[in-house]
Amino acid sequence: MKNLIKIFLIAIGFVAIQSCDDDLAQLPNDSVSPDSFYKTTLDFEAAIRGVYSGFLRSTYYGGSFLSRPDIMTANVILAPAGRRSNQSFYEWRHTPNAAWNLMGSGYIITNRANLILEYISNVNDVQFSNNIIGEAKTARALALFDLLRIYSKIPTQSLKANESLGMPIIVEIDPTIQKLRPTVKESYDFIISELEEAKNLINEDNGTGRFNKNTVNALLSRVYLYNGDYQLSVEAANSVSSTVATRSNFPQVWVDGSEDGVIMKIDQDRILDGIGIGTQWSQSVDGNVIPEYVMGFDLYNQYLDTDIRRTSYTQVLPDSDGNIYNAVKKMFGEAGQNNGVVDVKIIRASEVYLNKAEAYAMLGQDGPALTALDAVRSNRYNNFSSGNETGTQLFEAIKLERRLELFAEGHRLFDLKRWNEGVTRSLINGDFFDGTGSAVSAEYSSLPAGSYIYQFPIPQAEINVFPEFQQNPGYNNN
Amino acid sequence: MKTKSIGILTLFMALVVQITFAQERTFSGTVSDKDGPLPGVSVLIRGTTIGTETDFDGKFSIKAKTGDLLEFSYVGYEKIEKVLEDSSNVINVTLEEGIGLDEIVVVAFGKKRKEQLTSAVSVISSAELAKMTPSLSIDNMLQGKATGVQVVGGNGKPGQTAFVRIRGIGSVNASSAPLYIIDGLVAPDLTNINPQDIESMSVLKDAATASKYGSRAANGVIVIKTKTGQKNKKAVVTISTRYGTGRKIKDNFKMMNAAQKIQYERELAALGVSNAAALPGPLITSDKEYNALVAKDTDWFDELLKKSKIQSTAVSIAGGSKEIAYFLSLGHDTNTGIIQDLNGFKRSNIRMNIDYEAKDWLNISTNFSFTSSKSDEPRDRNNVQNPFRAMYDYNPYQTKYMLDSYGNAILDENGNPEFNLTRNGFSISEAIINNPQVVYTRTLIGGLSATANITNGFSNTFKIGGSNTDLRDEYFVKPGSVLDGYVGDANNPGSKKDDGSSELDYTITNLLEYNRVFNEKHDVTLTGLFEFNERILRSYSLSSIGFSNPNLLVQAVATIPVVASTNLFTRTLLSYGGFFDYSYDSKYIATASVRKDGSSVFGQNNRYGVFWSASAAWNINKEDWFKTTFFNDLKLRASAGTSGNSNGLGSYGSLATLDFGSLNGQSTAIPSDNGNPNLGFEKNFIWDIGIEFSTFNRRVRGVVDYYQRTTSDLLLNAPLSSLGGEPDGSIFSNIGEMVNKGLEIELTGDIIKTNDMLLTLGASISFVDNKVTKLVSSPSNEDGEDIIVGNNIISVGEEIYTFYLPKWAGVNTANGQALFYDTDNNVTTIFDTNAQQILSGKSPLADFDGGINLYFRYKKFDLSTDFYYKVGNYIINYMENDMLSDGQNADANQRVDAFNYWKNPGDTNVLPNPIYGNESNQTTDRFLQKGDYIRLRNLTVGFNVPLKSGQKINSIRLYLQGQNLWTYAPHFNGDPEVGIGSGETDNSVGFGNYNLYSYPQIQSLSLGVDIKF
């Protein structure tokens, strides 16, 4: 009897520990298997928003892409009182081991778009899928275009730029894929054909924060300009319906109080997303700044008193030691905020007009070029009267206006690059608001036109895993 | 599974039926030593788990059969065995004192006599524990106590756990921390156990015992047994109380005072150092101004720190009746810490341990403990919010409060003194008050175990138990606080964050054991194991902004909820095992084990791991021919085996996943990982040979061990080209390999041993040598690509985390310019961040460490001292880099020796000329310093108050104790015991690689009294 009880107890023990291999198959509660996704229109809506969120990564439009192209030029000057972020780029000391890695973000966006394009046939609604295809293709093309701006030459930059190294076109879904770099021409051809295709698929209106037909045309005006297809650039610009932001609306654009003239921006919620893109330039509290980079004194002086941009783009603020700066105000925050959180502007109507002006000028059509230029200038200066420039003067005026208008939006370095111009920084003027303070040291004051530095190095980590992948000329491996 | 268990049951029935019972009767007697009856002596029927203990009067009684062998054992005494005969039911024995190989040692799934051990186990007995420094966390007490166990204090924050590493570093991406087992249950860490409740600790270092824990044992196991009562013993109440005070250990350098700092600023400005130009020093225009600044002379250590108050009280009651033994305890600890205006750490715990002999064949035991703690958390990051950075940074000519021209504090509209924002634009004193963070923890650990002695030899133990840890972390940035101005939302001032988690970790274990002695010599034990473990972690994170009242800190009053998130993670572990233990006349001992573990963490292709071990030992002193020789005890042993590691890994790393997030308030879907279905356990193979001996009548005792530990299939991120768009850029795979080798020596000698006096000196040393042997290979590097981890590197052929820094070449004696080495080792004046070199032999890992312990007892007085030493590790002294900044941090206070900069051609042994500060103040090996040190961890003087016999009080002990009273660090400026460098800074190296203003280590003095009645 006693033994029976014991055996019974042990039997209970064994029953209690009944457990099977099934218990070893645990699934996450905060994610799903990709195989079970990409089925419904809601899935694709979420997936395409995932593509847009990719642009907000910190190496891309969520940070570096808006700052480094200006930091590397004379547009801004480093304020030693700050944290010296991005100093190696400011001083053109980037190397393969300390490179700007945009490849990660660029190809992650490409992968997100590719997954959508692969599975969109699961949806029967043709209009819905065409629109999604258009968006995905535009995103993929923009990512490739931005990779090219950083790592490759621009077709108009030099004679044989088109035959130099472009960036791989990835349309496959394969995490282990390895592809060598095609030519710049092949890369640009792909971007143009994709955007042209997207133009015919995408909706006229997708609401703010998403690509639409207008956006694609606007981007095409830029890509064609970079590619030297000036007539096509003009045509694409002419297809854009947006107008330049008015002078009165203009300051509101930068605190997200107005969308006037903004063709494409990626909306972020100040509180929920909170990506402080403005902290690339400074942090601030109680009317003080901790500046990283402030507007260069020479550039500051190019903004006339009548130019609405001087007060929209800069503000005079002291740091905690009482030193005063022309701090960057663009991206300072929404009205009343100082956290640097604002929507990311991808392309604005004024750029399209300036693209058009430059394209016309390149085609030798000074009249329409001046009209396009004045469409911008008349909305920036108080009591504007046209300079009626022609020829070289007109071309210089377009370049100046482009520099003044697109300050701190990730353009300056690429514009210098495609014009094949160098960077010259003042050896005299410092970081303080009146041009005093610390000036740049002589070794970092001049970057010659055509320098290899304009093509950023491929990160060494990419070469390590794929040794055949071509490094840009000028960078010693190791 | 089902068929398997039915099979086992059938086997049982067959066995049970065949066995008949011999007649049992009751034997009783008294156990004594030379001084009289001895309570608490273990009385065990050899080869069974049936046993009892002597009561308060040294008496015992036990049911047994003629021919059974009774074992009498007690810590510190020689074991005695008596064969039961028909002739008498009364057994009286006298035990002889002696410290030998007879201790009972807690090991995996049970206990063993030390003599029967075949593997390297370091034991900290209750006697030793009683002599040790009481501390909030037992792991800190282990330092220097067990060979092969390196303990590095995390930092000096009250309640902080230590980093414990057994026989080297065992992983890169998984955990390297040991497995903690308390009363047979896996415990999360050691913060939640009251050290006073611990009876003994065993550190299982090699495969022979640790492998029984299979896939969780790769980094060694620390097994803790808490106290139990004794059956048939009257209740003993113990009250222990201690009161003390602590302070920051004094630095071995000096900061500038106000006059010195002003002079320094003036010197720098005169040299033309641009960032000194606008500082107060050079701007002084009159003697009056100068005198006013110098007069302030604030000692920021005094302003920001305080002396801590340490209080500890524990009450326990232990005893037992015929069938029940119990131990109940209650403890309360407070340690205010050394930061002004913070309350530090508070902890309360309760414990209940009960053993119940329900039937003569059925024993039930339960252990339950509940711990509740509250900790004020200062910011531990390298910025203005850290008080331990502020105390060095703040200038002595500045003050805590804003002062008017008469030197009186300026009051705000509420009549409170207004804080001075200092040159940092921040007042740490204000932040400590207005940005409080508090962490609350509640831990319940408990389990129930039932052992049934089925028949002679067969017993089965069923055990269920686990731990539940609740964590709550509240962080309030009060509206109107300075920090809110920087990081807050101007429209919605103030923010509150409530993060928390609840983790349930339970295990069901069944152990079926068969033990039999054949021919009186062959003692065989076979054990079958089944175990199932599940861990369920639920977490939440809630944040709101917009608080109108700084005193209301619940989120119910906030205007906008910002973050509302919950998550759930589950992981399971399923194990089967078989263990074999054999002893021939206690002379030749052998063990073997095999265990198969499956983990949900790993890929479906590679989820199971099989782990084995084998070991043997030879008690040479038991050989007949040995009797005459020099040694009293001499044992040789060897073991080898494998174990696994999955701790610290993500729960779902093997799976392809797609995550959801939001953009501008709308849902986003993002592929997050491609997974790796081949993900499997990291594997550990360790072999060990050891010798244990005693001589001179066991007055000299020693243990020597040599081991080699190979960790393979290390999980590493194999990077991919970015082109494929893999979300995290790599595939997590079983790739790497490294080897730890070590030698451990422990020697103890009773130099004086008389009835009145005992002087014992002990010393230990543990060498460990780590070498990385395989990493992720690439087309250009087959052995494996280096993994750069900040300023450290994992490189094949080198010690893990060897420093990887640009090299400093000194100061040009001609002009005071800083010099560096470029990658080709040419001296240059241009600093290049890319000129890092592998600094072979310099890593945060020590070459050896150990303890020196002295214990002296004379009549009622005792004295114990514990030294800990560590040699051969390197630390980047970032704090020195800031305090000797060559003028770069001229706006912060500097060390006095910052004056010692280059002034004239030919100056040597000087800092660079501050005019070149921008180039010289870089992260190089300039501030990489050897961390060697020896420290007096503990000095205790005790006195046992003489009591007349027959009084109600059994004993009263008074003691005075000092911790960290003395340190010698020949090469390091600052405290050399560096664990956490900076608590809120990610540190993939783990610990000990740099110092960066974490909570400093504490020196303390306390007075305690223990009363038993």
Side-chain angles (χ1 to χ4, degrees):
Chain A
M1 185 60 203
K2 204 152 119 188
N3 288 330
L4 278 178
I5 294 170
K6 290 174 186 169
I7 288 161
F8 178 67
L9 284 175
I10 292 164
I12 289 175
F14 271 92
V15 171
I17 58 178
Q18 279 297 339
S19 178
C20 299
D21 268 14
D22 299 351
D23 284 316
L24 292 181
Q26 296 291 334
L27 293 175
N29 297 290
D30 59 354
S31 59
V32 297
S33 164
D35 300 339
S36 66
F37 199 70
Y38 301 110
K39 306 270 193 245
T40 67
T41 55
L42 281 177
D43 288 354
F44 285 98
E45 290 276 357
I48 198 73
R49 278 193 293 269
V51 174
Y52 289 112
S53 73
F55 285 101
L56 294 183
R57 292 165 65 98
S58 62
T59 51
Y60 207 179
Y61 287 102
S64 311
F65 204 84
L66 297 176
S67 62
R68 285 182 191 158
D70 281 68
I71 287 169
M72 292 181 65
T73 70
N75 272 5
V76 293
I77 181 167
L78 180 141
R83 299 173 303 174
R84 297 167 184 264
S85 57
N86 285 317
Q87 187 170 3
S88 65
F89 294 99
Y90 178 71
E91 293 170 351
W92 310 309
R93 296 210 274 183
H94 48 248
T95 63
N97 279 318
W100 180 359
N101 189 351
L102 188 68
M103 284 182 66
S105 292
Y107 287 108
I108 279 173
I109 290 170
T110 304
N111 182 244
R112 291 180 192 177
N114 286 340
L115 282 162
I116 289 173
L117 294 169
E118 173 82 11
Y119 295 112
I120 190 67
S121 55
N122 288 344
V123 173
N124 293 325
D125 182 336
V126 175
Q127 201 204 329
F128 176 87
S129 31
N130 280 347
N131 184 42
I132 293 281
I133 293 169
E135 286 184 86
K137 285 190 174 242
T138 306
R140 191 169 69 178
L142 177 59
L144 182 58
F145 178 67
D146 288 339
L147 286 167
L148 286 164
R149 292 209 274 180
I150 289 187
Y151 297 113
S152 301
K153 290 185 174 173
I154 294 169
T156 58
Q157 173 179 350
S158 58
L159 213 56
K160 290 192 169 175
N162 258 327
E163 290 144 51
S164 65
L165 295 166
M167 288 300 281
I169 299 157
I170 305 292
V171 294
E172 301 86 350
I173 297 165
D174 174 5
T176 61
I177 196 166
Q178 297 194 332
K179 267 191 182 180
L180 290 174
R181 298 172 69 179
T183 63
V184 165
K185 183 173 185 331
E186 285 167 307
S187 306
Y188 271 81
D189 286 352
F190 177 76
I191 292 166
I192 289 166
S193 77
E194 288 286 291
L195 288 176
E196 288 291 352
E197 192 186 336
K199 189 170 76 179
N200 297 323
L201 294 169
I202 203 163
N203 287 350
E204 294 277 347
D205 184 10
N206 269 325
T208 161
R210 288 171 68 162
F211 297 127
N212 56 29
K213 191 161 286 184
N214 228 12
T215 321
V216 178
N217 279 316
L219 288 173
L220 273 170
S221 83
R222 185 196 285 171
V223 175
Y224 281 131
L225 180 69
Y226 273 60
N227 204 32
D229 299 324
Y230 300 115
Q231 188 55 45
L232 291 167
S233 176
V234 167
E235 283 166 23
N238 283 335
S239 308
V240 173
S241 58
S242 315
T243 53
V244 176
T246 65
R247 191 170 189 275
S248 60
N249 283 338
F250 191 73
Q252 287 302 307
V253 171
W254 304 106
V255 292
D256 291 345
S258 166
E259 289 180 6
D260 195 1
V262 180
I263 296 173
M264 170 66 194
K265 65 177 183 175
I266 297 177
D267 287 346
Q268 62 160 326
D269 187 282
R270 183 182 90 231
I271 291 161
L272 296 177
D273 299 304
I275 300 165
I277 56 175
T279 56
Q280 295 284 317
W281 306 117
S282 62
Q283 297 180 81
S284 164
V285 67
D286 281 350
N288 279 352
V289 282
I290 303 169
E292 307 282 328
Y293 293 88
V294 296
M295 186 180 274
F297 191 61
D298 302 324
L299 175 61
Y300 183 79
N301 288 330
Q302 306 233 30
Y303 289 97
L304 302 179
D305 286 342
T306 54
D307 190 339
I308 186 73
R309 290 173 298 208
R310 177 183 259 191
T311 50
S312 298
Y313 287 0
T314 64
Q315 56 189 341
V316 178
L317 284 176
D319 67 13
S320 61
D321 286 346
N323 297 315
I324 305 168
Y325 302 92
N326 289 316
V328 178
K329 190 178 170 190
K330 213 175 185 179
M331 301 159 203
F332 196 67
E334 294 176 9
Q337 301 286 340
N338 57 10
N339 52 13
V341 181
V342 287
D343 297 340
V344 176
K345 285 81 183 171
I346 301 285
I347 193 162
R348 296 189 295 118
S350 52
E351 185 206 327
V352 175
Y353 276 83
L354 291 169
N355 291 344
K356 183 159 72 173
E358 190 178 331
Y360 271 128
M362 293 304 290
L363 291 167
Q365 300 179 36
D366 284 3
L370 182 68
T371 310
L373 174 63
D374 283 346
V376 176
R377 293 197 293 194
S378 61
N379 282 302
R380 297 294 175 262
Y381 297 91
N382 198 15
N383 298 322
F384 172 73
S385 63
S386 178
N388 293 321
E389 299 91 338
T390 55
T392 315
Q393 265 189 330
L394 174 63
F395 197 63
E396 288 306 316
I398 293 168
K399 282 186 183 173
L400 171 66
E401 213 53 38
R402 199 171 168 94
R403 183 180 182 193
L404 296 175
E405 177 70 16
L406 300 177
F407 169 76
E409 283 183 78
H411 281 275
R412 182 63 181 164
L413 184 76
F414 307 130
D415 285 336
L416 292 175
K417 184 172 170 176
R418 61 191 179 85
W419 296 327
N420 200 24
E421 292 182 11
V423 175
T424 309
R425 290 171 173 156
S426 168
L427 280 167
I428 301 150
N429 294 326
D431 55 329
F432 297 158
F433 79 112
D434 55 359
T436 60
S438 317
V440 71
S441 63
E443 49 201 312
Y444 311 125
S445 65
S446 163
L447 181 66
S451 166
Y452 72 96
I453 288 289
Y454 280 95
Q455 286 72 249
F456 286 74
I458 299 291
Q460 186 61 36
E462 298 293 338
I463 310 273
N464 285 347
V465 291
F466 182 16
E468 295 80 22
F469 199 63
Q470 305 101 312
Q471 181 57 279
N472 281 327
Y475 297 100
N476 260 338
N477 294 343
N478 298 313
Chain B
M1 179 67 219
K2 216 167 231 163
T3 42
K4 246 182 227 170
S5 41
I6 288 168
I8 293 169
L9 274 178
T10 320
L11 189 71
F12 267 140
M13 306 255 254
L15 276 164
V16 169
V17 173
Q18 284 177 14
I19 289 163
T20 53
F21 290 94
Q23 196 62 45
E24 287 191 341
R25 45 193 182 116
T26 302
F27 294 83
S28 61
T30 308
V31 182
S32 40
D33 67 357
K34 59 182 172 35
D35 297 331
L38 202 60
V41 176
S42 154
V43 183
L44 190 76
I45 302 173
R46 173 90 179 266
T48 74
T49 53
I50 300 166
T52 180
E53 283 179 336
T54 57
D55 67 10
F56 200 57
D57 300 317
K59 291 198 163 65
F60 73 95
S61 84
I62 190 165
K63 274 188 180 170
K65 311 181 297 287
T66 302
D68 279 350
L69 202 64
L70 273 195
E71 294 175 351
F72 298 86
S73 56
Y74 191 67
V75 177
Y77 288 82
E78 300 285 330
K79 192 184 69 182
I80 282 187
E81 293 178 354
K82 287 272 180 187
V83 179
L84 300 179
E85 289 163 9
D86 273 335
S87 53
S88 172
N89 289 352
V90 178
I91 314 282
N92 292 325
V93 295
T94 306
L95 294 185
E96 298 276 322
E97 264 190 79
I99 304 160
L101 302 172
D102 293 344
E103 293 171 51
I104 300 290
V105 177
V106 185
V107 291
F109 302 107
K111 296 181 203 173
K112 269 193 178 178
R113 289 207 323 280
K114 196 160 190 184
E115 177 190 76
Q116 296 283 359
L117 279 179
T118 53
S119 70
V121 178
S122 292
V123 182
I124 294 111
S125 66
S126 53
E128 272 176 276
L129 280 162
K131 283 188 264 171
M132 265 155 82
T133 320
S135 160
L136 277 167
S137 184
I138 185 77
D139 47 12
N140 286 300
M141 293 161 64
L142 273 173
Q143 201 177 58
K145 292 291 178 186
T147 55
V149 183
Q150 198 177 73
V151 179
V152 177
N155 58 25
K157 194 178 75 169
Q160 177 66 50
T161 51
F163 295 101
V164 178
R165 295 290 178 268
I166 298 174
R167 294 188 162 177
I169 302 269
S171 188
V172 176
N173 286 310
S175 169
S176 288
L179 176 72
Y180 296 108
I181 304 280
I182 301 177
D183 295 326
L185 303 170
V186 174
D189 59 35
L190 296 182
T191 40
N192 296 305
I193 182 161
N194 185 348
Q196 312 240 31
D197 288 349
I198 296 174
E199 180 169 291
S200 77
M201 289 177 89
S202 300
V203 183
L204 314 182
K205 297 188 286 194
D206 70 6
T209 50
S211 286
K212 290 186 176 179
Y213 288 108
S215 68
R216 294 200 271 185
N219 294 305
V221 186
I222 294 183
V223 185
I224 291 175
K225 189 183 175 314
T226 59
K227 289 173 181 163
T228 48
Q230 289 160 17
K231 282 178 188 150
N232 296 312
K233 189 171 173 185
K234 286 174 200 152
V236 174
V237 178
T238 307
I239 299 174
S240 304
T241 178
R242 184 162 54 90
Y243 181 85
T245 176
R247 63 174 187 191
K248 175 185 175 303
I249 296 175
K250 276 215 166 117
D251 291 319
N252 53 3
F253 54 81
K254 273 204 161 68
M255 301 303 290
M256 291 181 185
N257 62 25
Q260 288 167 326
K261 182 65 201 306
I262 288 167
Q263 189 199 334
Y264 182 71
E265 290 175 5
R266 287 172 153 182
E267 286 183 17
L268 261 52
L271 282 171
V273 175
S274 63
N275 41 350
L279 293 175
L283 295 182
I284 293 171
T285 52
S286 67
D287 283 354
K288 195 182 157 203
E289 253 180 84
Y290 174 84
N291 291 334
L293 279 180
V294 168
K296 286 177 179 165
D297 205 22
T298 308
D299 183 335
W300 284 103
F301 289 80
D302 283 352
E303 291 287 347
L304 301 176
L305 305 185
K306 65 181 176 189
K307 279 197 171 156
S308 67
K309 280 188 198 133
I310 306 162
Q311 259 177 301
S312 173
T313 307
V315 181
S316 69
I317 176 163
S321 64
K322 190 163 168 265
E323 280 146 358
I324 292 180
Y326 60 87
F327 174 83
L328 309 169
S329 81
L330 199 63
H332 183 71
D333 286 277
T334 59
N335 184 335
T336 62
I338 56 167
I339 302 173
Q340 280 210 10
D341 297 316
L342 287 189
N343 292 325
F345 184 79
K346 275 186 191 140
R347 183 180 68 192
S348 305
N349 32 14
I350 342 173
R351 169 171 292 280
M352 181 180 81
N353 292 344
I354 289 176
D355 276 308
Y356 175 44
E357 200 182 320
K359 302 273 181 193
D360 54 2
W361 53 270
L362 180 65
N363 200 70
I364 310 273
S365 71
T366 68
N367 301 281
F368 278 94
S369 73
F370 177 74
T371 309
S372 172
S373 69
K374 174 178 181 249
S375 176
D376 278 2
E377 297 286 315
R379 305 258 59 150
D380 188 356
R381 50 168 68 168
N382 181 31
N383 73 9
V384 295
Q385 297 180 60
N386 180 346
F388 300 115
R389 168 140 203 171
M391 70 188 184
Y392 292 109
D393 267 4
Y394 284 7
N395 285 304
Y397 51 71
Q398 295 196 295
T399 52
K400 183 171 176 176
Y401 300 110
M402 298 297 287
L403 302 182
D404 62 19
S405 51
Y406 302 104
N408 298 319
I410 298 172
L411 303 182
D412 65 11
E413 65 262 34
N414 299 320
N416 298 318
E418 223 173 278
F419 288 102
N420 182 359
L421 294 192
T422 71
R423 298 199 65 80
N424 286 321
F426 201 77
S427 161
I428 189 64
S429 305
E430 185 270 347
I432 283 168
I433 294 166
N434 287 334
N435 313 134
Q437 183 174 19
V438 187
V439 173
Y440 302 87
T441 315
R442 276 173 205 150
T443 309
L444 179 68
I445 302 177
L448 180 73
S449 154
T451 302
N453 295 307
I454 305 162
T455 69
N456 269 11
F458 269 100
S459 68
N460 189 74
T461 304
F462 176 77
K463 194 156 54 177
I464 180 159
S467 64
N468 190 86
T469 308
D470 273 305
L471 194 83
R472 189 154 51 94
D473 182 336
E474 300 195 10
Y475 178 46
F476 189 34
V477 177
K478 292 187 182 177
S481 63
V482 175
L483 182 66
D484 195 43
Y486 279 99
V487 300
D489 187 290
N491 304 355
N492 301 283
S495 65
K496 176 78 193 298
K497 193 154 91 86
D498 291 83
D499 288 349
S501 62
S502 175
E503 182 168 18
L504 175 68
D505 180 340
Y506 72 88
T507 306
I508 301 167
T509 309
N510 197 72
L511 277 170
L512 178 63
E513 192 177 288
Y514 173 71
N515 173 272
R516 193 151 175 197
V517 182
F518 298 96
N519 296 334
E520 294 182 8
K521 300 271 188 192
H522 304 274
D523 186 338
V524 176
T525 308
L526 284 166
T527 312
L529 167 83
F530 170 89
E531 200 165 72
F532 176 74
N533 169 257
E534 183 167 24
R535 281 161 67 187
I536 303 164
L537 174 70
R538 286 171 197 278
S539 63
Y540 64 85
S541 180
L542 310 169
S543 289
S544 294
I545 57 174
F547 288 76
S548 51
N549 187 322
N551 300 317
L552 298 180
L553 47 72
V554 291
Q555 294 192 34
V557 304
T559 52
I560 302 178
V562 185
V563 177
S565 165
T566 64
N567 216 328
L568 168 62
F569 304 90
T570 309
R571 56 169 69 187
T572 49
L573 187 69
L574 182 68
S575 317
Y576 311 89
F579 313 141
F580 167 75
D581 290 88
Y582 171 77
S583 164
Y584 176 79
D585 202 17
S586 295
K587 238 188 253 176
Y588 312 108
I589 303 144
T591 73
S593 74
V594 62
R595 175 168 163 148
K596 184 180 182 188
D597 282 15
S599 168
S600 68
V601 167
F602 296 123
Q604 52 186 15
N605 304 343
N606 205 6
R607 185 163 278 163
Y608 285 93
V610 176
F611 309 101
W612 60 269
S613 75
S615 68
W618 179 23
N619 281 314
I620 302 175
N621 56 307
K622 299 253 171 182
E623 299 287 355
D624 297 337
W625 49 262
F626 188 78
K627 297 289 183 200
T628 54
T629 55
F630 176 72
F631 291 102
N632 305 103
D633 298 296
L634 184 63
K635 180 192 215 171
L636 290 177
R637 52 178 166 70
S639 72
T642 62
S643 52
N645 193 7
S646 64
N647 279 347
L649 299 174
S651 294
Y652 312 107
S654 68
L655 301 171
T657 51
L658 185 129
D659 284 1
F660 297 92
S662 85
L663 175 64
N664 202 32
Q666 290 184 294
S667 176
T668 59
I670 294 166
S672 45
D673 197 7
N674 285 307
N676 175 7
N678 295 319
L679 211 62
F681 285 106
E682 291 189 348
K683 293 189 179 67
N684 192 57
F685 171 72
I686 184 167
W687 63 262
D688 177 295
I689 47 173
I691 179 165
E692 295 172 24
F693 64 90
S694 68
T695 180
F696 296 113
N697 285 327
R698 293 190 169 142
R699 281 174 64 173
V700 175
R701 305 172 289 281
V703 183
V704 180
D705 269 289
Y706 178 80
Y707 66 88
Q708 196 165 322
R709 173 184 179 196
T710 305
T711 312
S712 57
D713 284 354
L714 283 172
L715 285 163
L716 298 173
N717 286 308
L720 291 171
S721 164
S722 288
L723 299 175
E726 159 64 37
D728 59 13
S730 60
I731 304 181
F732 201 41
S733 326
N734 294 90
I735 294 171
E737 186 181 280
M738 66 181 161
V739 179
N740 287 286
K741 293 177 198 173
L743 177 68
E744 297 158 1
I745 304 168
E746 195 180 335
L747 266 179
T748 312
D750 299 329
I751 294 164
I752 303 169
K753 194 178 179 188
T754 67
N755 279 345
D756 282 343
M757 200 190 290
L758 176 67
L759 175 63
T760 305
L761 190 64
S764 69
I765 189 164
S766 308
F767 298 89
V768 58
D769 187 22
N770 174 290
K771 197 183 202 180
V772 177
T773 48
K774 196 178 156 198
L775 293 170
V776 182
S777 67
S778 74
S780 53
N781 194 346
E782 239 172 74
D783 282 348
E785 288 289 337
D786 294 344
I787 301 172
I788 295 162
V789 188
N791 292 315
N792 300 74
I793 195 164
I794 307 175
S795 181
V796 169
E798 300 288 341
E799 238 179 340
I800 189 171
Y801 303 129
T802 293
F803 281 100
Y804 184 62
L805 289 162
K807 281 172 78 179
W808 172 256
V811 177
N812 186 341
T813 54
N815 63 0
Q817 201 169 7
L819 300 172
F820 306 93
Y821 290 105
D822 67 12
T823 36
D824 303 322
N825 263 327
N826 301 315
V827 174
T828 162
T829 55
I830 295 169
F831 172 74
D832 179 3
T833 44
N834 296 320
Q836 301 115 314
Q837 300 190 28
I838 298 180
L839 306 177
S840 278
K842 295 183 178 178
S843 83
L845 310 183
D847 296 335
F848 60 90
D849 73 334
I852 301 169
N853 312 305
L854 181 140
Y855 180 73
F856 176 70
R857 173 165 57 79
Y858 177 70
K859 289 189 174 167
K860 299 287 182 186
F861 288 93
D862 59 68
L863 170 103
S864 70
T865 58
D866 299 323
F867 290 89
Y868 174 74
Y869 66 89
K870 181 170 167 179
V871 174
N873 61 312
Y874 282 79
I875 305 163
I876 301 181
N877 197 337
Y878 280 129
M879 289 162 67
E880 181 165 276
N881 196 354
D882 287 342
M883 295 176 216
L884 299 177
S885 67
D886 306 332
Q888 286 304 289
N889 294 0
D891 62 343
N893 200 14
Q894 299 285 291
R895 264 166 47 178
V896 173
D897 46 340
F899 280 113
N900 181 34
Y901 56 81
W902 183 95
K903 295 181 184 83
N904 299 301
D907 282 357
T908 53
N909 282 327
V910 287
L911 301 171
N913 186 344
I915 201 76
Y916 301 112
N918 195 14
E919 279 292 329
S920 65
N921 184 41
Q922 306 286 357
T923 300
T924 64
D925 67 348
R926 178 181 172 193
F927 293 105
L928 183 66
Q929 294 169 354
K930 216 172 176 201
D932 302 355
Y933 75 97
I934 180 163
R935 169 165 279 175
L936 176 54
R937 285 281 292 165
N938 169 41
L939 173 72
T940 307
V941 183
F943 175 62
N944 288 297
V945 178
L947 298 166
K948 283 182 188 138
S949 61
Q951 275 187 331
K952 285 193 174 159
I953 293 176
N954 294 346
S955 73
I956 299 176
R957 175 181 150 80
L958 298 168
Y959 63 90
L960 181 70
Q961 177 193 72
Q963 285 188 20
N964 296 338
L965 294 180
W966 173 83
T967 306
Y968 174 66
H971 310 294
F972 195 79
N973 298 318
D975 192 293
E977 188 171 1
V978 174
I980 296 169
S982 172
E984 292 175 63
T985 307
D986 275 344
N987 184 359
S988 302
V989 171
F991 60 92
N993 47 331
Y994 58 77
N995 66 352
L996 197 60
Y997 307 103
S998 193
Y999 210 117
Q1001 294 287 349
I1002 306 300
Q1003 188 172 64
S1004 70
L1005 204 61
S1006 39
L1007 187 65
V1009 57
D1010 296 342
I1011 302 170
K1012 280 188 190 183
F1013 60 87

